[in-house]
Amino acid sequence: MRLVEYADVRTAPVMAADGGVSSLMLPCVFSPKSHQYLALCAQDGRLRIWNADSKTLHQEYVPSAHLSASCTCIVWGPCRTTKEGPQRKKRKSEAGQTAEKPDLLALGTATGSILIYSTVKGSLQCTLDGGHNAGVNCVQWHPEESVLYSGSDDTHIAEWDLQTGKTRCKWKADRTSVTSLCVSPDGKWLLSAGMAIKMWELETKVLYRKFTGHSTMVTTLCFATTRPPDSNGLYFLSGAVHDRLLSVWQVRTDGKDKNSVVSFTLTDEPKHIDLLTSNSKEEPMRLAVVCKDGQLHLFEHFLNGPCKKPLSPVCSVQVSGVGTKASEGDTPVPVPLLAATLSSDKQNVLLAYGSHLQPVIERAPVNTSERHICLIRDICATLSLSLDTAITKVKTPVVNEKSKILVPGLPGHQAPVKATPSEPEKRKKGPSSTEMTIEERLELSAAEGKGPGKGVSSLQTDSFAVLLVQGLESKDNTILNKVLQTRKETLIRNTVARLPLPAILPLVEELSTRMQGNPNSAIFMVQWLKAVLTQHTSYLSSLPDLVSQLGRLYHMIESRVKWYQQLTRLHGKLHLLMTQVATSNSAPRVSELDHTAKLVYEESSEEDEASGDEGLPEDDSDNWEDDDEEEEEGMDTTEKHTDEEERNDEPKANGDSDLDPENESEEE
């Protein structure tokens, strides 16, 4: 049983610079049930419908505002019962035989309007205006009624009545843009997504459940079962921008459904999904996912509860074409897949690959026992799509060789107007003087900045990313040297953030080669390597063979870090030694010392020495008697000194102290 019959694919919108959503993936979808038609919308806004059986262009429609209001999403409506041939009265045996063919196509535009195109009439049926104030990101049909749902950048969901061409209801669904919608097969539930997934009850427009788990804008929603949520058997799938995991959610009545139950591993974000449920419990669910990198992944799984580990694809399909250039030779060139749908026989897959202007449609057999399948096709030889001349009204006039071209402006139209000599010189010199090659612009910027860092930093980050991608693809060392020698961390970080994912691994390999070949440039390369590892960690961690691809870089870093501790110790010792040498050299030199004393101290009298010696005990005094005798002798001497002083004082008191001994003799 195919659940997603008229809503297999939508455009994958991404966040724009102004906060809105811009569609980088061109819409592409097969018609439901029979898959007879393929609807494509090219970059010029033209709608082309190709017949998958005859490989021819069935119809082409050019909107009036196809250049200003580009198409953002395409969805086929439910199949209608049509009558083929002239109308006549049915027989009883033919009463139950009716042909169901896809008829209506809904096209969302960037201006907020929705176009309803009829493939049966081959013309525009109606235009739905006035429901949104911004671009339409997603459109979904109701499976039973003539009702249409649309989500926009104005954060609202609109419900349209196709019979009146007006909105029935409009409500705010999210704080950010509504990027994806999906209606349940029974028509009772609606899934909407922006940064979070919300489940609405269509009858009352009441929010039933909210699911959070994606860090970026959700671009893909798809119901996987038809059972109601009351039985805990309702599952749906979701995919987001830059997310390489397709998550499966289970709607439970107890509310314990905050995390996804199953995850499918992809090589890039999903672009096209086709799902077939099993008719019995013994058959698994079949899933076909076309990624943004152009690969097809096939999965088979039983939805019976949570699964801890992410599931890998049972089979991966890649289409390659033979190289058209002489330098390529017979080397296969990858051809991107646009869309794919599963067949009920489980043996074949309907593929659409190549260019949006003229795709190749092929029903290819796929053996799921092989993990990887590469289909090599000669695009020029197998391209059997032919343009029907009755579709377009543009005709190229047939010019006869004998016809004469008349030039206006001269009487009689005898000769063409000749330009003056100065005009062709100006025309020839014009492009060469204004247009410069990338190498010349880099040299000029480097010369003006007087250095590689200043010159390159004058360029913008966008041009830096473009130059880096061009240098990696062409392996031009001149461009790579100019870009990789910048030292501004902000410029490096912004440039790495704007790089496409296929250029990450070549950049890491180039940085590893430069670090290994020229160790002096490691100061520049380490800044770029740090920005790559911080900005694209999720992408690198999702690569299965990351260890083998980054092995050389890992061994080089390990060999350098191995001697880091010993070198650090040696650096510390040398620093200490050099510091001591520098200190000794910088200290001032001391001249010869003067050994003469600046100050000499001498004792004034010998009595002081005697008095000083009296107080010291003798070493030979061994008994107390000797000490007592010495004390008595000392006392006697002191008494004698005092008596002599008193005698000397008496004559002074009598006035005889001033007389000299000579005078005394004369008086005598």
Side-chain angles (χ1 to χ4, degrees):
M1 176 182 179
R2 183 181 300 273
L3 291 179
V4 189
E5 295 181 349
Y6 53 88
D8 285 345
V9 164
R10 289 170 300 280
T11 328
V14 297
M15 291 300 297
D18 56 354
V21 176
S22 62
S23 175
L24 296 180
M25 301 181 189
L26 298 177
C28 175
V29 57
F30 278 102
S31 60
K33 292 186 178 181
S34 62
H35 311 295
Q36 185 180 1
Y37 300 106
L38 176 66
L40 289 168
C41 190
Q43 295 180 351
D44 56 358
R46 297 172 182 266
L47 173 65
R48 293 181 176 89
I49 301 174
W50 300 87
N51 193 328
D53 298 333
S54 61
K55 310 294 190 299
T56 57
L57 183 62
H58 180 63
Q59 290 180 7
E60 183 178 8
Y61 171 69
V62 182
S64 58
H66 65 99
L67 296 179
S68 59
S70 59
C71 178
T72 57
C73 55
I74 297 178
V75 180
W76 286 93
C79 294
R80 291 184 176 183
T81 303
T82 58
K83 299 178 181 180
E84 296 182 355
Q87 298 180 2
R88 59 182 177 84
K89 189 176 181 180
K90 294 183 180 180
R91 299 178 183 178
K92 293 183 179 181
S93 60
E94 299 177 353
Q97 298 178 0
T98 56
E100 293 185 354
K101 287 188 175 182
D103 180 17
L104 298 180
L105 267 172
L107 287 79
T109 61
T111 57
S113 61
I114 302 174
L115 307 179
I116 307 299
Y117 180 79
S118 175
T119 58
V120 175
K121 299 178 182 179
S123 61
L124 186 66
Q125 180 168 333
C126 63
T127 303
L128 306 178
D129 291 324
H132 295 289
N133 300 326
V136 177
N137 297 323
C138 48
V139 178
Q140 277 291 302
W141 294 81
H142 195 278
E144 299 177 358
E145 303 176 3
S146 58
V147 179
L148 194 71
Y149 297 93
S150 61
S152 173
D153 285 337
D154 59 2
T155 70
H156 286 76
I157 299 176
E159 183 181 10
W160 300 86
D161 188 354
L162 297 182
Q163 296 180 356
T164 61
K166 298 181 180 179
T167 56
R168 286 185 179 180
C169 180
K170 182 179 178 181
W171 70 96
K172 186 177 179 62
D174 206 335
R175 296 181 180 179
T176 58
S177 303
V178 181
T179 56
S180 184
L181 292 175
C182 186
V183 182
S184 62
D186 56 1
K188 295 181 180 180
W189 306 94
L190 174 67
L191 288 173
S192 67
M195 293 295 293
I197 304 173
K198 296 182 180 180
M199 190 173 184
W200 306 86
E201 188 177 356
L202 288 178
E203 185 177 357
T204 59
K205 308 298 186 298
V206 177
L207 180 63
Y208 178 75
R209 197 65 55 81
K210 183 178 180 181
F211 306 88
T212 56
H214 293 284
S215 59
T216 55
M217 284 291 185
V218 179
T219 58
T220 304
L221 287 175
C222 176
F223 277 97
T225 55
T226 56
R227 286 167 285 184
D230 298 338
S231 61
N232 292 336
L234 185 61
Y235 293 85
F236 67 90
L237 289 80
S238 65
V241 177
H242 304 310
D243 195 352
R244 292 162 189 81
L245 289 177
L246 191 66
S247 303
V248 181
W249 307 81
Q250 182 182 12
V251 183
R252 300 174 59 92
T253 55
D254 54 3
K256 297 180 179 180
D257 47 14
K258 296 182 180 180
N259 299 323
S260 60
V261 293
V262 183
S263 298
F264 297 106
T265 304
L266 305 175
T267 56
D268 207 338
E269 61 180 274
K271 183 177 67 172
H272 185 283
I273 292 179
D274 188 27
L275 186 142
L276 285 176
T277 59
S278 58
N279 297 325
S280 63
K281 295 182 179 180
E282 299 177 355
E283 296 181 1
M285 174 199 69
R286 299 178 60 201
L287 178 65
V289 183
V290 177
C291 297
K292 188 178 178 181
D293 58 358
Q295 297 188 31
L296 171 64
H297 302 286
L298 302 177
F299 297 91
E300 293 182 0
H301 181 66
F302 293 93
L303 293 176
N304 54 3
C307 183
K308 296 182 179 180
K309 296 182 179 180
L311 301 178
S312 302
V314 178
C315 180
S316 299
V317 181
Q318 173 71 52
V319 180
S320 299
V322 180
T324 57
K325 298 181 181 179
S327 59
E328 295 176 352
D330 296 335
T331 304
V333 179
V335 178
L337 280 166
L338 304 178
T341 181
L342 298 170
S343 57
S344 58
D345 57 0
K346 301 181 181 180
Q347 299 294 333
N348 299 323
V349 178
L350 187 61
L351 305 175
Y353 55 88
S355 173
H356 282 78
L357 299 176
Q358 201 170 7
V360 178
I361 303 176
E362 177 186 355
R363 190 176 297 275
V366 176
N367 186 8
T368 56
S369 60
E370 300 180 6
R371 294 296 300 272
H372 300 280
I373 298 176
C374 182
L375 304 176
I376 300 178
R377 299 289 185 268
D378 190 356
I379 303 298
C380 299
T382 58
L383 192 59
S384 58
L385 301 176
S386 60
L387 221 67
D388 192 357
T389 56
I391 296 175
T392 177
K393 298 181 181 180
V394 179
K395 295 182 179 181
T396 304
V398 180
V399 180
N400 191 4
E401 296 179 356
K402 298 181 180 180
S403 61
K404 184 178 180 181
I405 300 176
L406 302 179
V407 181
L410 293 177
H413 305 287
Q414 295 179 358
V417 179
K418 294 183 180 180
T420 58
S422 60
E423 290 180 356
E425 293 179 358
K426 292 181 180 179
R427 293 177 181 175
K428 291 181 181 179
K429 294 181 180 179
S432 63
S433 61
T434 58
E435 298 180 0
M436 298 176 63
T437 62
I438 297 177
E439 184 176 1
E440 293 175 353
R441 279 184 282 178
L442 285 173
E443 292 179 355
L444 181 61
S445 61
E448 291 178 356
K450 296 182 180 180
K454 297 181 180 179
V456 177
S457 62
S458 62
L459 299 175
Q460 296 181 357
T461 306
D462 295 337
S463 61
F464 242 68
V466 173
L467 291 175
L468 184 56
V469 173
Q470 292 178 356
L472 292 174
E473 291 179 353
S474 61
K475 297 182 179 180
D476 192 346
N477 292 327
T478 304
I479 299 178
L480 292 176
N481 292 335
K482 295 293 183 181
V483 175
L484 296 178
Q485 287 180 358
T486 181
R487 295 188 179 182
K488 290 187 176 181
E489 295 183 1
T490 305
L491 182 60
I492 294 174
R493 185 170 57 254
N494 295 336
T495 302
V496 172
R498 286 174 171 82
L499 285 178
L501 295 179
I504 300 302
L505 281 180
L507 177 59
V508 174
E509 294 177 359
E510 180 67 24
L511 294 176
S512 303
T513 305
R514 288 174 176 265
M515 290 178 63
Q516 189 174 10
N518 188 8
N520 296 329
S521 63
I523 187 174
F524 302 103
M525 302 303 109
V526 167
Q527 295 181 0
W528 286 90
L529 189 61
K530 177 182 177 182
V532 171
L533 295 178
T534 54
Q535 295 286 340
H536 300 280
T537 306
S538 59
Y539 170 70
L540 294 174
S541 60
S542 64
L543 296 177
D545 53 348
L546 179 64
V547 177
S548 60
Q549 292 179 353
L550 300 182
R552 183 175 62 176
L553 179 62
Y554 174 77
H555 290 300
M556 180 179 60
I557 295 176
E558 186 179 7
S559 62
R560 292 194 177 189
V561 175
K562 181 179 180 181
W563 305 101
Y564 180 74
Q565 187 174 4
Q566 289 81 352
L567 292 176
T568 305
R569 292 179 180 176
L570 179 60
H571 178 268
K573 294 179 181 179
L574 292 176
H575 179 69
L576 180 60
L577 181 61
M578 296 302 296
T579 304
Q580 293 178 355
V581 173
T583 304
S584 62
N585 293 334
S586 61
R589 295 183 179 180
V590 180
S591 59
E592 296 181 356
L593 297 177
D594 187 7
H595 297 285
T596 58
K598 300 296 183 181
L599 178 64
V600 178
Y601 174 76
E602 295 181 357
E603 293 182 354
S604 58
S605 62
E606 296 179 357
E607 295 180 357
D608 296 337
E609 294 179 359
S611 62
D613 296 338
E614 290 175 359
L616 295 177
E618 296 182 0
D619 296 337
D620 298 336
S621 61
D622 295 335
N623 50 15
W624 291 97
E625 295 178 355
D626 298 337
D627 295 338
D628 295 337
E629 293 177 356
E630 292 177 357
E631 290 178 0
E632 291 177 358
E633 293 177 356
M635 291 292 294
D636 295 336
T637 53
T638 52
E639 289 177 357
K640 291 178 180 180
H641 284 294
T642 52
D643 294 337
E644 292 178 357
E645 290 178 357
E646 290 177 357
R647 292 174 181 175
N648 294 330
D649 293 337
E650 287 178 357
K652 289 181 181 178
N654 297 325
D656 299 334
S657 59
D658 295 333
L659 296 178
D660 295 335
E662 295 179 356
N663 296 330
E664 290 180 357
S665 61
E666 290 178 359
E667 290 178 357
E668 289 179 357

